[in-house]
Amino acid sequence: MERLQKVIAQAGIASRRKAEQLILEGKVKVNGEVVKALGTKVSRSDVVEVNGVKVEREKKVYYLFYKPRGVVSTVSDDKGRKTVMDYFKNHVEERIFPVGRLDYDTSGLLLLTNDGEFANLMTHPKYKIEKTYIARLKGIPQFEDIKRLRRGIMLEDGMTAPAKVELKKIDRKANKAICEITIHEGRNRQVRRMFEAIGTPVVKLKRERFAFLDLRGLNAGEFRKLTPHEVKQLRVLAETGKIG
């Protein structure tokens, strides 16, 4: 059972707030009866109409995408740049959207779905879903810098949560390093800003893992459906902090 306004919003007819307004105005029917109560819940077998038009409910779908660099993690782009949705055209009928986002210049694992509740579970900081990145750096972080990142570092929008950080490779001759970092927050350009804060800016960034998911079997620009078991495991992980 789902709230009526949520069903209308997920069908792409109107925003949740606008859907509530339509209900209050008596423009929504359930099984032929006008419904004006905002708390009304409906099942998949109920027939919902808005302004006399039947609401077609999409089945929930979940995709894992290997986002290339130079692609925007949005449904559309006013600058005419390539978006992640361009890779799903003619392949996916449902109105999917990215779960969070990766920067234009960042590659790696991105989830897409038409399930708003699932997207919130995956992105809200309180659920602490871990995302792991490989960062190629200009400069070599000192041990004290690594410790600062592990404890949490002050950025212009506040202190970050503690991160898992491991120095993978050092090239002293070229003054470069490769670092693995795992965070559960999703602030704008967060990983890049964290490394900038310790004086070793990111040259190249890739998200390698999202919780227990990885990019195995995919090349940049390719995607696959998540299995029902993977979706269930992600929900359990968000809600309990453990994989069931």
Side-chain angles (χ1 to χ4, degrees):
M1 301 287 282
E2 291 185 308
R3 286 183 180 272
L4 185 54
Q5 57 265 45
K6 182 179 177 181
V7 169
I8 294 169
Q10 286 187 336
I13 292 168
S15 67
R16 187 82 67 97
R17 187 168 292 180
K18 177 65 175 173
E20 291 175 350
Q21 188 180 330
L22 290 168
I23 294 168
L24 293 171
E25 291 172 356
K27 294 179 179 178
V28 178
K29 289 182 180 180
V30 177
N31 300 326
E33 300 288 331
V34 173
V35 173
K36 290 187 176 182
L38 293 181
T40 302
K41 290 189 174 182
V42 292
S43 69
R44 191 158 284 278
S45 61
D46 289 318
V47 177
V48 179
E49 295 173 76
V50 177
N51 289 324
V53 180
K54 184 180 174 183
V55 173
E56 298 294 341
R57 282 186 258 179
E58 293 182 331
K59 66 173 183 177
K60 301 288 197 305
V61 292
Y62 310 86
Y63 291 94
L64 186 160
F65 176 54
Y66 186 161
K67 176 194 168 301
R69 293 177 74 188
V71 176
V72 189
S73 299
T74 54
V75 173
S76 60
D77 183 61
D78 54 11
K79 296 176 182 174
R81 294 174 295 183
K82 195 167 193 174
T83 77
V84 293
M85 302 312 302
D86 291 325
Y87 292 86
F88 290 84
K89 282 179 183 175
N90 307 319
H91 297 288
V92 177
E93 294 179 3
E94 294 81 9
R95 289 181 289 268
I96 59 174
F97 55 86
V99 176
R101 59 178 58 189
L102 290 176
D103 300 336
Y104 181 76
D105 288 322
T106 300
S107 65
L109 200 161
L110 183 69
L111 300 182
L112 293 97
T113 185
N114 58 352
D115 186 340
E117 180 192 21
F118 173 82
N120 184 58
L121 283 174
M122 295 302 103
T123 54
H124 199 290
K126 77 177 181 180
Y127 298 114
K128 298 186 177 179
I129 299 292
E130 293 188 337
K131 282 87 74 174
T132 300
Y133 299 79
I134 295 294
R136 294 181 180 273
L137 308 174
K138 183 181 179 183
I140 300 170
Q142 301 302 305
F143 182 63
E144 279 303 314
D145 296 325
I146 298 291
K147 282 172 67 176
R148 287 173 65 201
L149 295 176
R150 287 173 178 165
R151 286 194 301 262
I153 194 165
M154 182 59 73
L155 302 177
E156 60 268 28
D157 53 356
M159 199 77 165
T160 65
K164 297 175 184 175
V165 187
E166 188 179 338
L167 203 52
K168 290 289 193 181
K169 191 175 180 182
I170 294 173
D171 185 340
R172 296 198 182 279
K173 196 172 180 181
N175 192 33
K176 293 178 182 176
I178 297 175
C179 229
E180 181 182 274
I181 180 168
T182 300
I183 62 173
H184 65 256
E185 298 172 292
R187 304 188 206 178
N188 186 38
R189 299 184 71 255
Q190 181 174 337
V191 172
R192 292 179 185 275
R193 290 191 291 131
M194 288 173 75
F195 282 110
E196 283 168 11
I198 62 168
T200 53
V202 172
V203 176
K204 197 173 182 181
L205 188 62
K206 178 183 178 185
R207 185 195 277 172
E208 294 257 303
R209 293 192 301 279
F210 187 103
F212 54 84
L213 299 170
D214 60 36
L215 293 164
R216 255 179 301 195
L218 294 178
N219 295 314
E222 294 180 342
F223 62 86
R224 69 169 177 86
K225 276 189 173 182
L226 292 183
T227 67
H229 183 67
E230 286 172 333
V231 175
K232 183 180 178 182
Q233 293 287 72
L234 286 168
R235 287 185 183 278
V236 170
L237 182 60
E239 290 164 356
T240 68
K242 299 174 184 175
I243 296 177

